């Protein structure tokens, strides 16, 4: 099976997964107790007519299967419906907010890479020494802290006591510096939560390479340790590092939800939480569709890159 | 051409017979290498200590965790209240000690359900293959396509917010991970000759599944369980933080942490210490899981720390 | 009476005589059976066993040799219904068993057992030896608990192991010992027919002989019928009454063991035999080397399967249709156009020119 | 507001000039501004841009969807209403965009507009007023405020454009409360509402209003930037050049922001942090008691509540509100004196209140049928749950009554309330207008059972009749008498245990003036009246 065929196959396999995921979310939301029309209007008094109108506007009087198919059909055309709470097209809100979450996730990921890869390499090179040990423990401590708790502690220390960074918010149309300034604490909190994975995978990938015969040969020929690490080992450790990306994506997305909540960043994560709390079905459905699609496509991309870089892997 | 036969006739009995014949060779090897893995031991010891604290909570805790105003409200750490008091004047230390119970219990329930579900699904998929595999694993793919916290959030909103639903949500979210591990294990076992032998003996699929396939996946299961235990505690504390938490007045660390948040500036101890407790347990479970993983990895048997 | 009628009569007769009879057995595998793969046409068919027929008379040993991947293990496993046959028929003691359901076939498992190849994977490392040996009896509900234990201990004796091993775990034993446990397990339900799938190939040469001897002794004692699968001709010669040579899912030559060894007819058999080290180094034999690896069973060559590597390939005839079996002598057949007089004549004519 | 802040883009750009200096200057700015003890006067420097921290994102920049404490904080600054309230306690109704209000007969109200312009330069006309009110009534808009127009005659004649500056509302029946209703409806230009239809005010860039501030930019969930409306009819307002609203969900982060000078005004402060703010040195809490009352509502259509007044009274006496005020509200609430908030007119001062009296409680409990099962208390996480936990303990101590606190999120609480599936819950209600009708009609009228707001499922035919009478007569003296009588009956029936009136507090930078926090604060343009002292 060629690469193109492999990609096509994987893409087709994604279809039932994505549809299944949307169906799952749809059913879960619609089986929950409570009348959406009332939830839309809140607890205050509303005339019967208003409630009828709401049902009409949001297709709530259609049978469930029809609601789902209508939604799916519209979603295929890029229309994810209108938010119950904000009464705005969900697609529009997602388009508006995704850059914020993307910037947060990306900076968190970069921090994890910037810290985790060197730490992993050092850990591997100094295998079974104190350095290795301490690195592992520190990295694991990062992943063991609830990300939101870490965020709170960072705010307490760096905003409240030291005043170095803003306590919350995101400079949407600020300068690059503004944005970095706002992003620093959230990105640290988010990055720390995934760094252990980076360290672990870099370490074991490096170890695999360092134990290869040709590295031993190079060593015995007197090639310097630095050249071995940068010249041989690092290049070969690239593949496993790529896999981390795939594994970290879900963690990054989940972490973003918590980080955005702690730091008051109006990204997709906080939109989701608010939508869940307000039972804003269209928004929850739209967001989960987007999140699931991103997840499966990123995983596919990682797999394809992986096979592309490493032709030894078979396509099945 | 006929290939050259490899002489493999050699007894592979392990040197260490201290553990006796109760455990198979593989498990003995794992245990003994774990015993030499210092980090794994520290992790295990910490977990045992926490379990002890949870079990002996009534003896250890200086106060009733539910009783209000055993001390002044929002009082900082002192000799009377080592970790201070919360907004109702309840003793934070006592609540943390009792909180270990709920925290561990819920995490165990979550991981227990998911490991049982995941094992059955994964073993059935891997062992039966064909359309059963296809159907089960596509279903698992659907669940797996969600970031776990996000699916748990939506589930909590749907099924109602109480601690058992939180555990159930986490269980569902973890099931695919178990199913995948067990399935790949079952797939490789399917080709093992002792499975074929059981089939020529007339063993039904179900017999083989429960008698051979699942028991032989136990070690992988244990590692996965340990690591997921850590994640379960984190996810549940995340749910608490997002307001999808546990019912009061039963203390759990996640709830204490989330609840103390509003008092952060004047009484940071209410949130800080439960956070530290979570971190210690999760860290211990992670280190222990790492140790187990190393021990299970045949490449590592010779070079354990 | 047409040829086919006559053949069918002969088949039936033979099938009645033989304990195990196989007629036109086929086993195809399909990979990637998911919906998406069907849509994409990604399904691959592997013809592991492709039209195999033979008989094994009661009390005899039938050898089945061929390179690894030629389908011999699949054939053995299909006989014991570890796989469902794609086509063809298997008779056991004259009774067709191919279409039996798992449940219907279950009682027959008492009569048909198997000994496996890999001493490291043939025993469940989580069970004690006693449980392993009694497993078939437990599953098939033979005797009561005490009977089973007594039977297992007796078998331990018979396969040359100590009775005290009953409560011990497999990892405490050597490969040869484990193989003996596997034999004891197969014999626990007192079968008549045993498929031995390379039972000694993973063992030291010295241990191989002991195990073969054990198998031989047990055959005498219990009147067993063996299908003995091996890639090692020297092993097979020692133990087999009849021999079938398999190449890419098809039997290319079959006959009395001695006939095949002394008078190999198929070019593939000759090549295999030439590779066997002769016990008498004084005899100088020309070794025949086969070029290349066997083609993939997914995509076997047209005509004779062996034509791509055959040192005696005749010409286009070999590529057109698979050759029939040609009788060499009584009970000795070979599937090669070399034996077709018409082809042979035309070839010698061509040579003469 | 900031002399040079990372939060004020324009000021920052002005200050640094060259792009190359971004890093250095920025960092200098941070260390200069940061820290809990920085100079509090910073916010007053040029009186320009206020920074205002909200708890959550606003629903929409649409007056038709603005019906919550957060959204109105913003929209009240963007849209003016025909009438509004004075910044007094108690607040009085006063003309605003309308320069004069007349009644014609029993059911017609005529409003004359003052000379005002919209943000787009168009004049405010009677046609715009009609379009704005019709927007509230438009079923496609599905406004949560539509109830305010229930009494306006249906069809095109309900709201009449008399001339360019005059609009007449024709009511279906005489009403004592109609006069308050125009206080909720913002006036926007008909042209913009026609152009954007349903999406008016829901997407950034579709908003035009008549208020003291115009929308400069709006990034939903993050930031809203308002700028002064230069053509605003009232020369005194607004006091600042602009407001930047940011959304800061964490209470402690809002306090932190106030202390570092990141924010000038902070709303929705958790009560436990008021003290904190007062101690910071650079900020203060401006507070006021509201109409927002909280009570323990018993489900009166359920047994034993329905038929056992003594039981309800016993529980009322067993409840110690002082403890709740101290430990849940940290002193930021006052005990409510009976069914009507005492800061509302016609409060009946002669009622014998249910104070904390365990002995009296026990006595009544012994006379009652008692309760032989645990009481189910449904509550959301946070304040409700905290109250529930304290009440649980108080009732157990006083009467040995067991309470199960069943905590759930709001969206699960809602269906439980609608179906009456609870024994007791802690609910809040604040009148939208300074009149007993706003407080009593919706809470004790048996036609207003959930999903409306009679959450104690109270039913008393006499009270129903009296409430209707008091609403439809305009004779003030008669109304006063009616409401005092209603309070008496309801108080005796004790369908709910009245608890507290909460205070509203804003954290405000010490250097700024802030308007009086009145019970009507959520319908007032609070932002426009914040400025240098």
């Amino acid at each position: 099976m060629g690469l193109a065929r492999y990609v096509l196959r994987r893409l087709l396999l994604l279809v039932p997964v994505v549809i299944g995921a949307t169906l799952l979310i749809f059913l879960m939301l619609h089986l929950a107790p409570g009348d959406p029309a009332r939830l839309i209007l809140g607890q205050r008094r509303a005339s019967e007519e208003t409630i009828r109108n709401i049902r009409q506007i949001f297709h709530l009087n259609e049978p469930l299967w029809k609601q789902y198919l209508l939604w799916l059909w519209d979603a295929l055309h890029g229309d994810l419906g209108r938010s119950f709470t904000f009464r705005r097209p969900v697609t529009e809100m997602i388009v508006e907010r995704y850059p914020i979450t993307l910037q947060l996730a990306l900076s968190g990921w970069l921090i994890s890479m910037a810290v985790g890869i060197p730490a992993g390499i050092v850990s591997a090179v100094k295998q079974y020494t104190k350095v290795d040990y301490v690195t592992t423990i520190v990295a694991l401590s990062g992943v063991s802290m609830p990300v939101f708790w870490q965020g709170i502690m960072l705010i307490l220390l760096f905003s409240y006591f030291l005043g170095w960074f803003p306590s919350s918010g995101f400079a949407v149309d600020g300068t690059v510096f503004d944005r970095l300034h706002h992003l620093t604490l959230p990105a640290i909190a988010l990055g720390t939560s995934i760094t252990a994975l980076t360290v672990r995978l870099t370490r074991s990938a490096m170890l695999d390479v360092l134990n290869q015969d040709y590295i031993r040969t190079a060593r015995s020929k007197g090639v310097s340790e630095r050249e071995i690490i940068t010249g041989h080992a690092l290049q070969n450790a690239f593949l496993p590092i790529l896999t981390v990306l795939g594994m970290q994506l879900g963690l990054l997305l989940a972490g973003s939800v918590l980080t955005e909540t702690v730091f008051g960043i109006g990204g997709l994560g906080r939109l989701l939480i608010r939508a869940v709390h307000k039972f804003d079905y269209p928004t929850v459905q739209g967001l989960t569709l987007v999140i699931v699609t991103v997840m499966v496509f990123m995983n596919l991309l990682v797999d394809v890159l992986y096979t592309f870089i490493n032709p030894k892997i078979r396509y099945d | 051409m006929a290939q050259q036969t490899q002489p493999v006739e050699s007894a592979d009995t392990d040197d260490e017979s201290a553990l006796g014949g109760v455990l198979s060779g593989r498990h003995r090897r794992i245990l003994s290498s774990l015993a030499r893995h210092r980090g794994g031991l520290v992790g295990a010891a910490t977990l045992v200590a926490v379990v002890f604290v949870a079990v002996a909570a009534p003896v250890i805790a200086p106060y009733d965790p539910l009783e209000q105003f055993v001390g002044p409200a929002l009082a900082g750490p002192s000799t009377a209240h080592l970790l201070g008091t919360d907004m109702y004047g309840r003793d934070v230390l006592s609540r943390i000690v009792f909180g270990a119970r709920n925290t561990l219990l819920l995490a165990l329930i979550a991981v227990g359900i998911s490991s049982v579900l995941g094992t059955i699904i994964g073993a059935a998929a891997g062992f039966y293959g064909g359309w059963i595999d296809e159907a089960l694993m596509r279903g698992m793919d659907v669940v797996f396509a969600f970031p776990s916290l996000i699916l748990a959030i939506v589930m909590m909103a749907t099924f109602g917010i109480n601690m058992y639903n939180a555990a159930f949500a986490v269980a569902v979210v973890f099931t695919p991970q178990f199913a995948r591990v067990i399935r790949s294990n079952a797939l490789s076992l399917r080709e093992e000759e002792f499975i074929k032998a059981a089939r020529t003996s007339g063993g039904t699929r179900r017999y083989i599944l429960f008698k051979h396939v699942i028991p032989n996946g136990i070690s992988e299961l244990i590692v996965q369980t340990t690591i997921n235990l850590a994640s379960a505690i984190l996810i549940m504390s995340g749910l608490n933080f997002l307001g999808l938490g546990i019912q009061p007045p039963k203390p759990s660390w996640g709830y204490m942490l989330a609840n103390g948040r509003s008092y952060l500036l004047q009484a940071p101890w209410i949130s800080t210490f439960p956070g530290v407790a979570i971190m210690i347990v999760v860290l211990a479970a992670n280190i222990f899981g790492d140790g187990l993983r190393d021990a299970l990895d045949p490449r590592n048997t010779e070079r354990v720390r | 009476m047409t040829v086919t009628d006559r053949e069918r009569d002969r088949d039936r007769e033979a099938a009645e005589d033989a304990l195990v009879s196989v007629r036109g057995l086929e086993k195809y595998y399909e990979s990637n059976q998911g919906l998406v793969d069907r849509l994409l046409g990604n399904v691959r068919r592997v013809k592991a066993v492709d039209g195999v027929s033979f008989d094994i008379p009661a009390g005899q040993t039938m050898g089945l040799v061929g390179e690894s991947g030629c389908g011999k293990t699949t054939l053995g496993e299909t006989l014991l219904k570890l796989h469902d046959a794609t086509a063809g028929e298997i008779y056991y003691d004259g009774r067709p068993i191919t279409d039996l359901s798992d449940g219907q076939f279950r009682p027959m498992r008492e009569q048909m057992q198997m000994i496996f190849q890999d001493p490291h994977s043939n025993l469940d490392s989580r069970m004690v030896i006693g449980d392993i040996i009694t497993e078939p009896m437990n599953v098939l509900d033979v005797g009561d608990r005490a009977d089973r234990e007594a039977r297992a201990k007796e078998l331990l004796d018979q396969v040359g192991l100590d009775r005290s091993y009953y409560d011990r775990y497999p990892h405490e034993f050597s490969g040869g010992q484990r193989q003996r446990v596997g034999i004891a397990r197969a014999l626990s339900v007192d079968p008549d027919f045993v498929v031995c799938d390379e039972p000694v190939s993973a063992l030291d040469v010295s241990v191989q002989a002991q195990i073969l001897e054990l198998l031989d002794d047990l055959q005498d004692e219990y009147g067993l019928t063996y299908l003995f699968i091996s890639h090692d001709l020297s092993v097979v010669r020692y133990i087999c009454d009849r021999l079938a040579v398999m190449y890419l899912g098809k039997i290319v030559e079959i006959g009395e063991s001695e006939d095949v060894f002394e008078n190999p007819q198929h070019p593939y058999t000759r090549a295999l035999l030439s590779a066997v080290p002769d016990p008498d180094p004084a005899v100088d034999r020309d070794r025949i080397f086969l070029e290349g690896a066997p083609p993939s069973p997914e995509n076997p060559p047209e005509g004779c399967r062996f034509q791509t590597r055959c040192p005696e390939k005749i010409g286009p005839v070999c590529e057109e249709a698979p050759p029939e079996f040609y009788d060499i002598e009584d009970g000795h057949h070979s599937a090669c156009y070399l034996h077709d007089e018409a082809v042979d004549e035309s070839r010698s004519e061509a040579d003469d020119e | 507001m900031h002399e040079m802040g990372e939060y004020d883009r324009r000021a920052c750009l002005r200050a640094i000039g060259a792009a190359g200096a971004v890093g250095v200057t920025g960092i200098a700015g941070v260390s200069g501004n940061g820290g809990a003890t920085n100079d509090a006067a910073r916010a007053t420097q040029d009186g320009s841009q206020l920074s205002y921290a909200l708890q959550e994102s606003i629903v929409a920049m649409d007056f038709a969807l603005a019906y919550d404490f957060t959204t109105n904080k913003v929209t009240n600054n963007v849209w003016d209403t025909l009438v509004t309230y004075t910044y007094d306690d108690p607040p009085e109704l006063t003309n605003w965009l309308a320069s004069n209000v007349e009644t014609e007969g029993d059911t017609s109200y005529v409003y004359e507009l003052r000379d005002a312009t919209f943000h787009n330069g168009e004049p405010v006309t009677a046609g715009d007023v009609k379009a704005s009110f019709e927007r509230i009534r438009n079923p496609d808009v599905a406004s949560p405020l539509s109830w305010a127009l229930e009494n306006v005659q249906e069809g095109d004649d309900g709201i009449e454009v008399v001339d360019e500056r005059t609009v007449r509302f024709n009511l279906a029946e005489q009403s004592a409360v109609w006069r308050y209703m125009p206080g909720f409806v913002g006036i926007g230009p008909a042209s913009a509402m026609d152009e954007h239809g349903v999406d008016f005010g829901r997407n950034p860039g579709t908003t035009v209003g008549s208020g003291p501030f115009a929308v400069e930019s709006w990034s939903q969930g993050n930031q809203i930037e308002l700028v002064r409306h230069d053509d605003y009819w009232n020369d005194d307002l607004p006091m600042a050049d602009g407001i930047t609203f940011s959304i800061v969900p964490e209470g402690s982060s809002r306090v932190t922001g106030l202390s570092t000078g990141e924010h000038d005004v902070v709303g929705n402060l958790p009560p436990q942090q008021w003290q904190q703010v007062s101690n910071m040195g650079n900020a203060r809490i401006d507070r006021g008691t509201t109409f927002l009352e909280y009570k323990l509502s018993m489900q009166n259509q359920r047994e034993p509540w329905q038929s056992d007044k003594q039981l309800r009274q016993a529980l009322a006496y067993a409840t110690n509100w002082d403890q709740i005020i101290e430990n849940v509200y940290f002193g930021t609430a006052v005990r409510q004196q009976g069914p009507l908030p005492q800061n509302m007119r016609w409060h009946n001062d002669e009622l014998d209140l249910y104070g904390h009296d365990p002995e009296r409680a026990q006595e009544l409990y012994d006379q009652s049928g008692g309760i032989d099962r645990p009481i189910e208390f449904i509550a959301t996480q946070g304040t409700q749950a905290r109250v529930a936990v304290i009440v649980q303990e108080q009732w157990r101590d006083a009467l040995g009554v067991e309470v199960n606190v069943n905590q759930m999120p709001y969206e699960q609480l809602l269906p439980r309330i609608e179906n009456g599936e609870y024994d007791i819950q802690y609910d809040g209600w604040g009148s939208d207008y300074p009149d007993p009708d706003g407080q009593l009609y919706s809470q004790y009228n048996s036609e207003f059972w959930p999903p409306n707001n009679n959450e104690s499922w109270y039913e008393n035919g006499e009270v129903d009749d009296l409430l209707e009478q008091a609403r439809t007569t305009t004779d003030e003296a008669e109304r006063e008498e009616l409401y005092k009588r209603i309070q008496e009956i309801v108080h005796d029936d004790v369908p709910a245990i009245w608890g507290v009136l909460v205070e509203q507090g804003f954290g405000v930078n010490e250097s700024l003036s802030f308007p009086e926090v009145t019970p009507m604060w959520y319908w007032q343009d609070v932002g426009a009246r914040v400025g240098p002292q």
Side-chain angles (χ1 to χ4, degrees), chain A residues 237-281:
Chain A
F238 179 67
L239 277 179
I241 291 170
L242 190 62
T243 26
V244 201
L245 176 62
M247 296 166 76
Q248 284 174 335
L249 186 73
L251 291 172
L252 274 172
L253 283 171
S256 296
V257 172
L258 295 165
T259 314
E260 286 178 10
T261 305
V262 176
F263 288 96
I265 297 171
L268 297 178
R270 234 170 40 119
L271 185 61
L272 177 72
I273 295 303
R274 170 147 175 165
V276 165
H277 273 287
K278 301 269 174 190
F279 260 50
D280 187 348
Y281 300 171

Side-chain angles (χ1 to χ4, degrees), chain B residues 66-69 73-74 87-88 90 156-162 240-241 243-249 255 258-259 261-266, chain D residues 250-253 255-256 270-276 323 327-328 330 381-383 385-387 389-390 392-393 405-409 411-412:
Chain B
L66 302 184
E67 200 184 332
Q68 304 180 3
F69 309 108
L74 300 175
M87 47 286 196
Y88 304 123
R90 294 178 297 199
M156 290 299 292
T158 305
F159 297 119
I161 289 170
N162 66 52
N240 275 317
F241 170 77
L244 306 165
I246 193 176
Q247 292 156 285
Y255 179 74
N259 223 22
R261 214 159 27 122
S262 341
Y263 306 88
L264 198 63
L265 296 179
Q266 68 264 53
Chain D
E250 278 290 291
S252 46
S253 294
V255 173
T256 302
Q272 57 270 26
Q273 285 171 354
W274 291 19
Q275 190 60 41
Q276 184 89 20
Q323 194 187 3
N327 290 298
V328 178
F330 295 87
Q381 193 169 319
T383 306
R386 284 176 211 166
V387 170
V389 170
I390 292 182
Q392 182 183 42
E393 183 125 327
V405 177
N406 197 353
Q407 194 184 330
M408 57 189 80
E411 52 280 356
Q412 279 164 17

Side-chain angles (χ1 to χ4, degrees), chain C residues 48-70:
Chain C
V49 177
D50 193 12
V52 164
S53 305
F54 59 82
D55 301 307
I56 312 176
Q60 287 204 4
T61 299
M62 165 90 157
L64 186 62
V65 292
E67 287 163 293
S68 51
C70 73

Side-chain angles (χ1 to χ4, degrees), chain A residues 1 5 8-9 12 314 316, chain C residues 36-37 40-42 44:
Chain A
M1 217 185 326
R5 212 180 165 78
L8 179 65
R9 171 172 186 268
L12 284 174
R314 287 196 58 188
D316 49 9
Chain C
V36 168
D37 292 301
L40 285 174
N42 275 348
R44 290 178 300 188

Side-chain angles (χ1 to χ4, degrees), chain A residues 109-270:
Chain A
W109 184 70
L110 285 175
I111 285 182
S112 129
M113 289 290 144
V115 175
I117 291 177
I121 292 171
V122 168
S123 201
V125 173
K126 309 265 180 199
Q127 199 190 2
Y128 305 138
T129 64
K130 280 217 173 71
V131 177
D132 178 21
Y133 208 64
V134 168
T135 309
T136 311
I137 295 289
V138 169
L140 275 178
S141 309
V143 80
S144 303
M145 276 186 272
V147 57
F148 59 91
W149 182 73
Q150 200 198 346
I152 291 172
M153 294 295 143
L154 287 174
I155 292 175
L156 206 57
L157 183 61
F158 291 105
S159 291
Y160 188 70
F161 290 119
L162 297 173
W164 291 356
F165 295 98
S167 59
S168 67
F170 179 77
V172 186
D173 15 61
T175 59
V176 174
F177 172 76
D178 268 359
R179 275 189 256 176
L180 286 180
H181 194 213
H182 278 86
L183 267 178
T184 307
L185 294 185
I188 290 175
L190 186 55
T192 318
S193 71
I194 57 168
T195 300
L197 205 56
T198 316
V199 174
R200 179 189 291 154
L201 276 144
T202 311
R203 179 179 178 270
S204 72
M206 281 297 288
L207 281 178
D208 279 353
V209 176
L210 288 174
N211 288 328
Q212 299 282 325
D213 286 343
Y214 69 93
I215 297 283
R216 287 183 196 173
T217 315
R219 268 194 186 133
S220 64
K221 281 182 185 164
V223 179
S224 82
E225 196 72 3
R226 172 183 291 268
E227 273 175 59
I228 286 173
I229 291 161
T230 52
H232 296 277
L234 202 52
Q235 283 173 18
N236 288 289
F238 179 67
L239 277 179
I241 291 170
L242 190 62
T243 26
V244 201
L245 176 62
M247 296 166 76
Q248 284 174 335
L249 186 73
L251 291 172
L252 274 172
L253 283 171
S256 296
V257 172
L258 295 165
T259 314
E260 286 178 10
T261 305
V262 176
F263 288 96
I265 297 171
L268 297 178
R270 234 170 40 119

